[in-house]
């Protein structure tokens, strides 16, 4: 019933996945949990420093899919290389995750993720306060289950085309405010927006559950996302629930007309929104939160005055800054850190012509006296 669309594109994957194996670096590993050997892929960004605690994002595949397909399809490695976090793509047993359905996996996946988190913290100096989980479809369901049961290790979660199962939903009792993001299409014909008996809960119910769990202000901020790609047959709206306990947040990016797809994906199967890049949105969301006291990275993020729009951008990128900003210059770098474009900030918002840049995940750096800030954007 929840058959993944990934299998349709295997022929494409065989062709385009080859460069992914050589650069940037992706390694494979395994652990034994409950007598079962469980394996995973770990993407290591080029600027990884074993001596520095590094954030970790779990990126979980959908039902009938696997780690390598999710690695390619989500294209999160490009964001990892720019922002400097690790991405782990685990494999579920039987190409599925145990989320309460009467089909699929019956494995102890919560225990597996606890053990895998501890292993990666020990072997790669992962920052224990900055471990996150996101996923596609069944992987999104699983990320919500981790938010319910493993939030002593998982700081925040995100789901793309996922939901929560009716069987498991009544059991979820997080015990703390857990930052959560949902990205979902209104025309998803696999995990239906309105829910399906024995499979998924209505998306509005899921989002409201997390907003209420986090004691957020239920008067949400609704922001239409610029329709920068009018050929993708969809539009997007961001709905943010703020003023939550412990500075948590709940964000819902609703894709009007969107299908069972990962927005911003390099291949389009069904209606794939290209006004946003889900991997970029997820990291920008995660980067605000940690377990325990704020990290230096979080403090810098919370004080950030730099915003860019539209994101993704095709021709013109606009740079917006707070009124009292100290910045005078900007520079754009690609995902390998090479300088592409620079200029002076002489107006707010500052328009920047990016039409000559190749499609890529890039970052814009603004600099002033004794201060610098970076922000990730996508050129499409």
């Amino acid at each position: 019933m929840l058959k993944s669309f990934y299998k349709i594109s295997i022929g494409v994957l065989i062709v385009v996945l080859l460069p992914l194996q050589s650069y940037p670096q992706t390694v494979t590993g395994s652990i034994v949990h409950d007598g079962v050997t469980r394996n995973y892929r770990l993407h290591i960004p080029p600027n990884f420093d074993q001596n520095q605690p590094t954030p970790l994002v779990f990126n979980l595949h959908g039902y009938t899919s696997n780690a390598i397909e999710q690695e390619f399809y989500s294209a999160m490695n490009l964001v990892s290389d720019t922002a400097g976090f690790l991405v782990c793509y685990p494999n579920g047993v039987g190409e599925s995750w145990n989320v309460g359905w009467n089909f699929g996996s019956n494995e102890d996946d919560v225990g597996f993720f606890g053990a895998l988190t501890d292993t990666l913290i020990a072997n790669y100096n992962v920052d224990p306060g900055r471990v996150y989980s996101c996923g596609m479809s069944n992987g999104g369901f699983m990320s919500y289950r981790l938010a319910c049961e493993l939030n002593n290790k998982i700081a925040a979660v995100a789901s793309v085309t996922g939901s929560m199962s009716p069987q498991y939903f009544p059991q979820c009792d997080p015990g703390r405010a857990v930052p959560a993001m949902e990205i979902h299409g209104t025309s998803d014909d696999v995990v239906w927006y309105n829910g399906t008996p024995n499979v998924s809960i209505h998306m509005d119910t899921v989002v409201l559950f997390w907003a209420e769990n986090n004691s957020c202000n239920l008067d949400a901020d609704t922001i239409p996302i610029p329709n920068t790609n009018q050929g993708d047959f969809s539009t997007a709206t961001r709905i943010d629930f703020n003023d939550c306990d412990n500075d948590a947040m709940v964000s819902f990016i609703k894709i009007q007309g969107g299908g069972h797809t990962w927005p911003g994906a390099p291949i389009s199967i069904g209606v794939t929104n290209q006004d946003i890049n889900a991997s970029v949105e997820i990291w920008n969301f995660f980067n605000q939160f940690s377990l325990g006291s704020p990290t230096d990275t979080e403090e810098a993020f919370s004080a950030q005055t730099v915003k860019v729009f539209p994101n993704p951008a095709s021709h013109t990128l606009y740079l917006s800054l707070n009124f009292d900003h100290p910045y005078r210059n900007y520079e754009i770098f690609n995902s390998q850190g090479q300088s592409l474009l620079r200029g002076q900030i002489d107006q707010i918002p500052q328009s920047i012509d990016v039409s000559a840049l190749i499609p890529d995940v890039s970052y814009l750096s603004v600099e002033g006296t004794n201060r610098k800030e970076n922000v990730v954007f996508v050129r499409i």
Side-chain angles (χ1 to χ4, degrees), residues 272-325:
T272 303
N273 183 268
Q274 297 294 341
D275 299 323
I276 66 165
N277 181 294
S279 294
V280 171
E281 296 293 339
I282 288 169
W283 173 247
N284 284 342
F285 181 79
F286 284 166
N287 197 37
Q288 302 174 77
F289 309 108
S290 71
L291 296 173
S293 58
T295 64
D296 292 340
T297 302
E298 280 187 293
E299 290 170 354
F301 185 93
S302 63
Q304 191 177 57
T305 59
V306 182
K307 295 182 180 180
V308 294
F309 60 93
N311 191 3
S314 56
H315 298 289
T316 303
L317 181 73
Y318 291 93
L319 166 63
S320 178
L321 299 165
N322 286 354
F323 179 78
D324 57 349
H325 72 90

Side-chain angles (χ1 to χ4, degrees), residues 100-179:
W101 293 329
N102 57 7
F103 57 92
S105 176
N106 292 313
E107 296 293 328
D108 175 23
D109 284 328
V110 174
F112 162 63
F113 277 101
L116 181 55
T117 299
D118 292 342
T119 298
L120 297 177
I121 288 174
N123 293 342
Y124 293 93
N125 197 13
V126 168
D127 184 341
R130 305 197 67 206
V131 179
Y132 313 97
S133 181
C134 68
M136 170 78 187
S137 192
N138 188 195
F141 282 76
M142 188 66 218
S143 293
Y144 280 134
R145 182 163 189 177
L146 296 180
C148 299
E149 297 186 50
L150 199 67
N151 59 61
N152 63 319
K153 295 181 183 292
I154 303 296
V157 300
S159 162
V160 181
T161 75
S163 179
M164 299 177 72
S165 69
Q167 300 90 332
Y168 180 72
F169 183 72
Q171 304 174 34
C172 180
D173 184 14
R176 77 165 179 92
V178 184

Side-chain angles (χ1 to χ4, degrees), residues 1 32 48 75 132 136 155 168 183 185 191 202 204 210 213 271 320:
M1 188 172 191
V32 177
F48 175 70
Y132 313 97
M136 170 78 187
Y168 180 72
I183 302 174
V191 180
H202 195 297
D204 292 347
W210 288 104
N213 176 77
V271 177
S320 178

